[in-house]
Short mmCIF file of all heavy atoms in Angstrom, two decimals:
data_model
loop_
_atom_site.label_atom_id
_atom_site.label_comp_id
_atom_site.label_asym_id
_atom_site.label_seq_id
_atom_site.Cartn_x
_atom_site.Cartn_y
_atom_site.Cartn_z
N GLU A 1385 118.46 95.93 90.22
CA GLU A 1385 118.09 97.00 91.15
C GLU A 1385 118.81 98.30 90.83
O GLU A 1385 118.20 99.35 90.78
CB GLU A 1385 118.43 96.56 92.60
CG GLU A 1385 118.03 97.63 93.59
CD GLU A 1385 118.37 97.33 95.06
OE1 GLU A 1385 118.68 96.16 95.35
OE2 GLU A 1385 118.32 98.27 95.85
N LEU A 1386 120.10 98.22 90.57
CA LEU A 1386 120.86 99.43 90.24
C LEU A 1386 120.32 100.07 88.95
O LEU A 1386 120.19 101.27 88.87
CB LEU A 1386 122.33 99.10 90.09
CG LEU A 1386 123.27 100.28 89.83
CD1 LEU A 1386 123.14 101.36 90.91
CD2 LEU A 1386 124.74 99.78 89.74
N THR A 1387 120.01 99.28 87.97
CA THR A 1387 119.45 99.75 86.74
C THR A 1387 118.19 100.53 86.99
O THR A 1387 118.03 101.69 86.51
CB THR A 1387 119.14 98.59 85.75
OG1 THR A 1387 120.35 97.90 85.47
CG2 THR A 1387 118.51 99.09 84.49
N HIS A 1388 117.29 100.00 87.78
CA HIS A 1388 116.01 100.67 88.03
C HIS A 1388 116.17 101.93 88.90
O HIS A 1388 115.46 102.92 88.72
CB HIS A 1388 114.98 99.71 88.59
CG HIS A 1388 114.49 98.75 87.53
ND1 HIS A 1388 113.60 99.11 86.58
CD2 HIS A 1388 114.82 97.46 87.26
CE1 HIS A 1388 113.37 98.12 85.76
NE2 HIS A 1388 114.11 97.08 86.15
N TRP A 1389 117.14 101.90 89.82
CA TRP A 1389 117.39 103.11 90.59
C TRP A 1389 117.92 104.25 89.65
O TRP A 1389 117.51 105.40 89.75
CB TRP A 1389 118.45 102.91 91.67
CG TRP A 1389 117.90 102.32 92.97
CD1 TRP A 1389 118.18 101.10 93.50
CD2 TRP A 1389 116.99 102.94 93.87
NE1 TRP A 1389 117.51 100.91 94.67
CE2 TRP A 1389 116.80 102.05 94.95
CE3 TRP A 1389 116.36 104.17 93.88
CZ2 TRP A 1389 115.95 102.35 96.01
CZ3 TRP A 1389 115.52 104.49 94.97
CH2 TRP A 1389 115.33 103.58 96.01
N LEU A 1390 118.83 103.87 88.73
CA LEU A 1390 119.40 104.88 87.84
C LEU A 1390 118.42 105.35 86.74
O LEU A 1390 118.68 106.40 86.11
CB LEU A 1390 120.64 104.33 87.19
CG LEU A 1390 121.85 104.11 88.13
CD1 LEU A 1390 123.02 103.48 87.40
CD2 LEU A 1390 122.22 105.40 88.84
N LEU A 1391 117.34 104.61 86.53
CA LEU A 1391 116.33 105.04 85.57
C LEU A 1391 115.40 106.13 86.12
O LEU A 1391 114.66 106.75 85.35
CB LEU A 1391 115.50 103.84 85.06
CG LEU A 1391 116.22 102.98 84.04
CD1 LEU A 1391 115.47 101.71 83.87
CD2 LEU A 1391 116.43 103.73 82.73
N ILE A 1392 115.43 106.37 87.43
CA ILE A 1392 114.55 107.35 88.02
C ILE A 1392 115.04 108.83 87.80
O ILE A 1392 114.25 109.68 87.38
CB ILE A 1392 114.33 107.08 89.52
CG1 ILE A 1392 113.57 105.73 89.65
CG2 ILE A 1392 113.60 108.20 90.20
CD1 ILE A 1392 113.43 105.18 91.07
N PRO A 1393 116.29 109.16 88.10
CA PRO A 1393 116.73 110.59 87.92
C PRO A 1393 116.54 111.22 86.56
O PRO A 1393 116.19 112.42 86.51
CB PRO A 1393 118.24 110.54 88.29
CG PRO A 1393 118.37 109.32 89.19
CD PRO A 1393 117.37 108.33 88.67
N PRO A 1394 116.64 110.49 85.44
CA PRO A 1394 116.42 111.18 84.18
C PRO A 1394 115.05 111.83 84.04
O PRO A 1394 114.85 112.72 83.20
CB PRO A 1394 116.61 110.04 83.12
CG PRO A 1394 117.53 109.10 83.79
CD PRO A 1394 117.16 109.11 85.23
N ALA A 1395 114.08 111.39 84.83
CA ALA A 1395 112.75 111.99 84.75
C ALA A 1395 112.78 113.50 84.96
O ALA A 1395 111.95 114.24 84.34
CB ALA A 1395 111.81 111.38 85.78
N PHE A 1396 113.70 113.99 85.70
CA PHE A 1396 113.78 115.41 85.97
C PHE A 1396 114.24 116.22 84.79
O PHE A 1396 113.94 117.40 84.65
CB PHE A 1396 114.66 115.68 87.20
CG PHE A 1396 114.05 115.12 88.49
CD1 PHE A 1396 114.44 113.87 88.94
CD2 PHE A 1396 113.09 115.81 89.14
CE1 PHE A 1396 113.87 113.32 90.09
CE2 PHE A 1396 112.49 115.31 90.29
CZ PHE A 1396 112.88 114.07 90.75
N LEU A 1397 114.93 115.56 83.83
CA LEU A 1397 115.36 116.20 82.60
C LEU A 1397 114.16 116.58 81.71
O LEU A 1397 114.23 117.48 80.88
CB LEU A 1397 116.33 115.32 81.82
CG LEU A 1397 117.66 115.05 82.53
CD1 LEU A 1397 118.46 114.03 81.70
CD2 LEU A 1397 118.45 116.33 82.74
N PHE A 1398 113.05 115.88 81.88
CA PHE A 1398 111.88 116.09 81.03
C PHE A 1398 111.25 117.44 81.27
O PHE A 1398 110.46 117.93 80.46
CB PHE A 1398 110.89 114.94 81.23
CG PHE A 1398 111.31 113.66 80.56
CD1 PHE A 1398 112.35 112.89 81.13
CD2 PHE A 1398 110.74 113.25 79.39
CE1 PHE A 1398 112.78 111.71 80.50
CE2 PHE A 1398 111.18 112.09 78.74
CZ PHE A 1398 112.19 111.34 79.32
N PHE A 1399 111.58 118.10 82.41
CA PHE A 1399 111.06 119.43 82.63
C PHE A 1399 111.67 120.44 81.64
O PHE A 1399 111.13 121.55 81.49
CB PHE A 1399 111.35 119.87 84.08
CG PHE A 1399 110.46 119.24 85.08
CD1 PHE A 1399 110.91 118.13 85.80
CD2 PHE A 1399 109.18 119.71 85.30
CE1 PHE A 1399 110.07 117.51 86.74
CE2 PHE A 1399 108.33 119.09 86.21
CZ PHE A 1399 108.79 118.03 86.94
N ILE A 1400 112.78 120.07 81.00
CA ILE A 1400 113.43 120.98 80.05
C ILE A 1400 112.52 121.28 78.87
O ILE A 1400 112.40 122.42 78.41
CB ILE A 1400 114.75 120.41 79.55
CG1 ILE A 1400 115.74 120.36 80.75
CG2 ILE A 1400 115.35 121.20 78.42
CD1 ILE A 1400 117.03 119.58 80.45
N TRP A 1401 111.81 120.28 78.34
CA TRP A 1401 110.98 120.49 77.16
C TRP A 1401 109.50 120.19 77.39
O TRP A 1401 108.71 120.37 76.46
CB TRP A 1401 111.50 119.64 75.97
CG TRP A 1401 111.47 118.20 76.17
CD1 TRP A 1401 110.42 117.33 75.94
CD2 TRP A 1401 112.53 117.36 76.65
NE1 TRP A 1401 110.74 116.07 76.26
CE2 TRP A 1401 112.03 116.03 76.70
CE3 TRP A 1401 113.83 117.59 77.10
CZ2 TRP A 1401 112.82 114.94 77.12
CZ3 TRP A 1401 114.61 116.49 77.49
CH2 TRP A 1401 114.09 115.23 77.52
N ASN A 1402 109.12 119.78 78.57
CA ASN A 1402 107.75 119.49 78.90
C ASN A 1402 107.13 120.61 79.74
O ASN A 1402 107.89 121.21 80.58
CB ASN A 1402 107.61 118.17 79.65
CG ASN A 1402 107.62 116.97 78.76
OD1 ASN A 1402 106.60 116.65 78.19
ND2 ASN A 1402 108.78 116.35 78.66
N PRO A 1403 105.86 120.84 79.65
CA PRO A 1403 105.23 121.76 80.63
C PRO A 1403 105.31 121.11 81.99
O PRO A 1403 105.51 119.87 82.10
CB PRO A 1403 103.78 121.86 80.14
CG PRO A 1403 103.61 120.95 78.99
CD PRO A 1403 104.93 120.33 78.63
N ILE A 1404 105.15 121.90 83.06
CA ILE A 1404 105.29 121.38 84.43
C ILE A 1404 104.41 120.16 84.66
O ILE A 1404 104.87 119.19 85.20
CB ILE A 1404 104.90 122.51 85.47
CG1 ILE A 1404 105.87 123.70 85.32
CG2 ILE A 1404 104.94 121.95 86.87
CD1 ILE A 1404 107.19 123.56 85.92
N TRP A 1405 103.16 120.21 84.23
CA TRP A 1405 102.20 119.12 84.47
C TRP A 1405 102.74 117.80 83.79
O TRP A 1405 102.64 116.76 84.37
CB TRP A 1405 100.79 119.46 84.01
CG TRP A 1405 100.67 119.69 82.54
CD1 TRP A 1405 100.71 120.88 81.90
CD2 TRP A 1405 100.42 118.72 81.53
NE1 TRP A 1405 100.57 120.72 80.52
CE2 TRP A 1405 100.36 119.40 80.28
CE3 TRP A 1405 100.28 117.31 81.50
CZ2 TRP A 1405 100.19 118.74 79.07
CZ3 TRP A 1405 100.06 116.67 80.30
CH2 TRP A 1405 100.04 117.39 79.13
N ALA A 1406 103.31 117.91 82.60
CA ALA A 1406 103.84 116.76 81.93
C ALA A 1406 105.12 116.27 82.61
O ALA A 1406 105.37 115.04 82.66
CB ALA A 1406 104.09 117.05 80.44
N GLY A 1407 105.96 117.20 83.07
CA GLY A 1407 107.14 116.79 83.84
C GLY A 1407 106.78 116.00 85.07
O GLY A 1407 107.45 115.01 85.41
N LEU A 1408 105.72 116.44 85.74
CA LEU A 1408 105.23 115.68 86.93
C LEU A 1408 104.74 114.30 86.53
O LEU A 1408 104.98 113.35 87.27
CB LEU A 1408 104.16 116.50 87.66
CG LEU A 1408 104.63 117.79 88.26
CD1 LEU A 1408 103.43 118.63 88.78
CD2 LEU A 1408 105.63 117.50 89.39
N ILE A 1409 104.05 114.22 85.38
CA ILE A 1409 103.63 112.90 84.88
C ILE A 1409 104.84 112.01 84.64
O ILE A 1409 104.78 110.81 84.91
CB ILE A 1409 102.77 113.06 83.63
CG1 ILE A 1409 101.39 113.66 84.04
CG2 ILE A 1409 102.57 111.74 82.90
CD1 ILE A 1409 100.50 114.02 82.88
N MET A 1410 105.95 112.57 84.14
CA MET A 1410 107.14 111.76 83.85
C MET A 1410 107.72 111.25 85.17
O MET A 1410 108.22 110.14 85.22
CB MET A 1410 108.18 112.63 83.13
CG MET A 1410 107.81 112.99 81.71
SD MET A 1410 107.50 111.57 80.71
CE MET A 1410 106.16 112.19 79.71
N ILE A 1411 107.66 112.02 86.21
CA ILE A 1411 108.13 111.55 87.51
C ILE A 1411 107.26 110.41 88.04
O ILE A 1411 107.73 109.36 88.48
CB ILE A 1411 108.24 112.71 88.54
CG1 ILE A 1411 109.36 113.67 88.14
CG2 ILE A 1411 108.46 112.17 89.98
CD1 ILE A 1411 109.46 114.93 88.93
N VAL A 1412 105.93 110.60 87.93
CA VAL A 1412 105.00 109.54 88.35
C VAL A 1412 105.25 108.27 87.53
O VAL A 1412 105.33 107.18 88.05
CB VAL A 1412 103.55 110.01 88.26
CG1 VAL A 1412 102.60 108.85 88.44
CG2 VAL A 1412 103.27 111.10 89.26
N TYR A 1413 105.39 108.47 86.19
CA TYR A 1413 105.70 107.33 85.31
C TYR A 1413 106.94 106.58 85.76
O TYR A 1413 106.92 105.33 85.89
CB TYR A 1413 105.87 107.79 83.87
CG TYR A 1413 106.65 106.77 83.05
CD1 TYR A 1413 106.05 105.59 82.63
CD2 TYR A 1413 107.99 106.97 82.77
CE1 TYR A 1413 106.79 104.63 81.93
CE2 TYR A 1413 108.74 106.05 82.05
CZ TYR A 1413 108.14 104.86 81.64
OH TYR A 1413 108.85 103.92 81.00
N THR A 1414 108.04 107.28 85.99
CA THR A 1414 109.29 106.60 86.30
C THR A 1414 109.21 105.87 87.63
O THR A 1414 109.79 104.82 87.84
CB THR A 1414 110.49 107.56 86.22
OG1 THR A 1414 111.68 106.77 86.17
CG2 THR A 1414 110.60 108.48 87.43
N LEU A 1415 108.41 106.42 88.58
CA LEU A 1415 108.27 105.72 89.87
C LEU A 1415 107.44 104.46 89.69
O LEU A 1415 107.81 103.40 90.23
CB LEU A 1415 107.65 106.67 90.90
CG LEU A 1415 108.55 107.84 91.32
CD1 LEU A 1415 107.78 108.81 92.25
CD2 LEU A 1415 109.83 107.36 91.98
N ILE A 1416 106.37 104.60 88.93
CA ILE A 1416 105.49 103.40 88.69
C ILE A 1416 106.26 102.34 87.88
O ILE A 1416 106.09 101.15 88.12
CB ILE A 1416 104.20 103.80 87.96
CG1 ILE A 1416 103.32 104.61 88.90
CG2 ILE A 1416 103.45 102.59 87.39
CD1 ILE A 1416 102.12 105.29 88.25
N ALA A 1417 107.11 102.77 86.95
CA ALA A 1417 107.83 101.85 86.09
C ALA A 1417 109.03 101.23 86.72
O ALA A 1417 109.56 100.23 86.22
CB ALA A 1417 108.24 102.57 84.78
N ASN A 1418 109.55 101.80 87.84
CA ASN A 1418 110.79 101.29 88.41
C ASN A 1418 110.69 100.81 89.85
O ASN A 1418 111.36 99.84 90.20
CB ASN A 1418 111.89 102.37 88.31
CG ASN A 1418 112.31 102.61 86.87
OD1 ASN A 1418 112.89 101.73 86.25
ND2 ASN A 1418 111.95 103.75 86.31
N VAL A 1419 109.92 101.44 90.67
CA VAL A 1419 109.84 101.03 92.08
C VAL A 1419 109.39 99.57 92.27
O VAL A 1419 109.99 98.87 93.07
CB VAL A 1419 109.02 102.03 92.90
CG1 VAL A 1419 108.73 101.51 94.31
CG2 VAL A 1419 109.71 103.39 92.97
N PRO A 1420 108.43 99.06 91.52
CA PRO A 1420 108.04 97.68 91.72
C PRO A 1420 109.22 96.71 91.42
O PRO A 1420 109.39 95.69 92.11
CB PRO A 1420 106.87 97.44 90.72
CG PRO A 1420 106.30 98.81 90.54
CD PRO A 1420 107.49 99.76 90.61
N PHE A 1421 110.04 97.04 90.45
CA PHE A 1421 111.21 96.21 90.12
C PHE A 1421 112.25 96.28 91.26
O PHE A 1421 112.85 95.26 91.58
CB PHE A 1421 111.82 96.62 88.79
CG PHE A 1421 110.96 96.30 87.61
CD1 PHE A 1421 110.07 97.25 87.12
CD2 PHE A 1421 111.03 95.07 86.99
CE1 PHE A 1421 109.26 96.96 86.06
CE2 PHE A 1421 110.22 94.78 85.89
CZ PHE A 1421 109.33 95.74 85.42
N ILE A 1422 112.45 97.43 91.81
CA ILE A 1422 113.39 97.61 92.93
C ILE A 1422 112.89 96.75 94.11
O ILE A 1422 113.66 96.04 94.75
CB ILE A 1422 113.53 99.08 93.30
CG1 ILE A 1422 114.23 99.84 92.14
CG2 ILE A 1422 114.30 99.24 94.60
CD1 ILE A 1422 114.17 101.37 92.27
N MET A 1423 111.60 96.87 94.37
CA MET A 1423 111.01 96.11 95.46
C MET A 1423 111.21 94.60 95.25
O MET A 1423 111.54 93.86 96.20
CB MET A 1423 109.52 96.45 95.64
CG MET A 1423 109.27 97.84 96.17
SD MET A 1423 107.55 98.41 96.00
CE MET A 1423 106.63 97.06 96.64
N ALA A 1424 110.97 94.16 94.04
CA ALA A 1424 111.13 92.73 93.74
C ALA A 1424 112.55 92.22 93.98
O ALA A 1424 112.78 91.15 94.55
CB ALA A 1424 110.71 92.43 92.29
#
């Protein structure tokens, strides 16, 4: 659980080199990739 919680914040770093739309996709990706594991 802690691992998956800590994997979410790095998504915001992707705004440094990604366009806004891609940064938003990274946030959606990290939520889809981690929230189900946290729930489990």
Side-chain angles (χ1 to χ4, degrees):
E1385 182 182 345
L1386 183 57
T1387 299
H1388 287 284
W1389 276 116
L1390 292 177
L1391 284 168
I1392 294 172
F1396 294 96
L1397 297 174
F1398 286 74
F1399 285 100
I1400 294 171
W1401 63 86
N1402 278 278
I1404 299 282
W1405 63 268
L1408 293 172
I1409 288 172
M1410 293 301 144
I1411 291 173
V1412 170
Y1413 158 75
T1414 197
L1415 293 174
I1416 290 170
N1418 290 293
V1419 170
F1421 291 92
I1422 293 168
M1423 290 167 49

